[in-house]
Amino acid sequence: MSGEARRYSVRTHVEVQLAYLHGSPTPGTGICQVCFGACRPSSARCVPCAEIDYQAGRMAADLVVPITYRKGSGGQHSQNLRMYKQEPHNRTARRNLTALFAYFCLHHISCVKAAADVDRFTHVCFVPSTKNPSQDVHPLEETLGDKVRSLRGIRLSVNQQVPSESRSFHKDWFEAGVLPAQGSETDVLLLDDTWVTGARAQSAAYCLKQAGARKVVMLVLARQINPDYGHSKPLVERISKVPYEMDSCAFHLSDMIPAPRSP
Ligand SMILES: [Zn+2]
Ligand SMILES: [Zn+2]
């Protein structure tokens, strides 16, 4: 397949999902500046992000980038995010998530790199499953690995002393395997499917920073929204009305760079 035909195909596979994808993450009042979840209108961050910042500080991820939202547990996007793991042969779920990720990277990785002050990512890491720590390859890596094959992989191992269902940040939840040489520039693209509290993802980011990573940028397929949380209401209403905007992102360059002036 030619490059142009492949790009067309990726776009088509995202377009067919627009009917059920919710509005794109964008900054605003009542939106956490870190994770784009809901927070009190008077706060800059949600409670879990504020707690993690207190514990991890600069050792947390430099930027958190959710591609979409996941509202509650219903809907086709939620189903894709469940099915790609539970039914590895469910090609539709994997194809949809891969297309969403690939299209986002093609069109917005420059926005993400500019926002994070990263010239180029050198490494990729997938947040390991804490429920299946013996799993050789995470299903997300099986699904997206081909799209990030130009980056060197970093594997994290799971400290099984930490309860697998914990919703808290743990500095010692993960251990880095093969580390890049000291002093070499290591800017890591850290990938996960769903962000709930960020505890697991930020524990992984902390581990990577401790291991010598200069920057860690967290890219997640979906920011989970709990519609029952009181402060979620405005966000839930907005993302229910506004469709997913595939040609923009939370850090879109056209919003950050002034338009060139005519001479
Ligand atoms: Zn947050
Ligand atoms: Zn963008």
Side-chain angles (χ1 to χ4, degrees):
M1 194 187 283
S2 72
E4 193 174 334
R6 198 177 298 117
R7 275 195 291 278
Y8 173 78
S9 166
V10 169
R11 184 175 178 94
T12 306
H13 282 128
V14 178
E15 283 174 340
V16 297
Q17 300 178 66
L18 294 180
Y20 58 74
L21 290 176
H22 298 298
S24 306
T26 43
T29 304
I31 309 283
C32 173
Q33 284 178 357
V34 177
C35 71
F36 295 87
C39 66
R40 290 173 179 275
S42 55
S43 303
R45 289 170 298 187
C46 66
V47 171
C49 284
E51 283 177 3
I52 289 168
D53 181 50
Y54 178 70
Q55 292 186 65
R58 294 173 64 85
M59 302 300 272
D62 297 279
L63 197 68
V64 178
V65 186
I67 296 179
T68 58
Y69 284 112
R70 177 186 191 178
K71 192 174 67 171
S73 57
Q76 186 63 45
H77 189 42
S78 274
Q79 194 166 322
N80 287 340
L81 287 161
R82 250 193 325 270
M83 288 302 160
Y84 96 90
K85 283 192 277 205
Q86 291 173 359
E87 298 180 12
H89 301 296
N90 183 331
R91 291 181 55 189
T92 305
R94 290 197 169 201
R95 188 193 62 208
N96 285 344
L97 297 178
T98 303
L100 195 62
F101 175 77
Y103 191 87
F104 186 89
C105 289
L106 267 173
H107 293 267
H108 304 295
I109 206 70
S110 303
C111 311
V112 171
K113 286 193 290 192
D117 192 22
V118 166
D119 285 339
R120 67 182 186 96
F121 289 107
T122 56
H123 292 73
V124 65
C125 180
F126 291 84
V127 179
S129 167
T130 51
K131 290 178 195 157
N132 300 302
S134 54
Q135 197 169 52
D136 275 347
V137 180
H138 190 283
L140 193 66
E141 186 172 353
E142 285 176 353
T143 307
L144 305 182
D146 191 45
K147 302 294 172 195
V148 288
R149 62 181 181 276
S150 61
L151 303 178
R152 289 175 61 191
I154 298 178
R155 283 275 164 86
L156 302 182
S157 55
V158 180
N159 173 3
Q160 295 183 44
Q161 304 295 317
V162 177
S164 63
E165 304 275 358
S166 175
R167 291 286 172 94
S168 303
F169 169 82
H170 297 273
K171 290 181 178 175
D172 62 347
W173 207 345
F174 301 103
E175 286 170 16
V178 178
L179 295 179
Q182 285 289 322
S184 68
E185 189 180 88
T186 305
D187 290 335
V188 185
L189 185 62
L190 179 61
L191 300 174
D192 204 357
D193 51 16
T194 309
W195 175 290
V196 183
T197 63
R200 229 167 28 89
Q202 291 286 32
S203 299
Y206 182 91
C207 172
L208 290 165
K209 288 269 184 102
Q210 282 284 48
R214 187 180 76 103
K215 297 266 177 159
V216 176
V217 172
M218 182 77 224
L219 183 58
V220 291
L221 294 179
R223 171 61 171 97
Q224 177 82 39
I225 300 294
N226 175 7
D228 298 327
Y229 170 59
H231 293 293
S232 294
K233 202 171 168 223
L235 177 60
V236 169
E237 280 179 3
R238 181 162 67 79
I239 65 174
S240 302
K241 280 188 216 143
V242 182
Y244 175 65
E245 176 50 75
M246 62 194 286
D247 290 319
S248 189
C249 71
F251 305 99
H252 206 56
L253 275 175
S254 63
D255 298 333
M256 298 167 58
I257 296 176
R261 295 180 183 191
S262 49

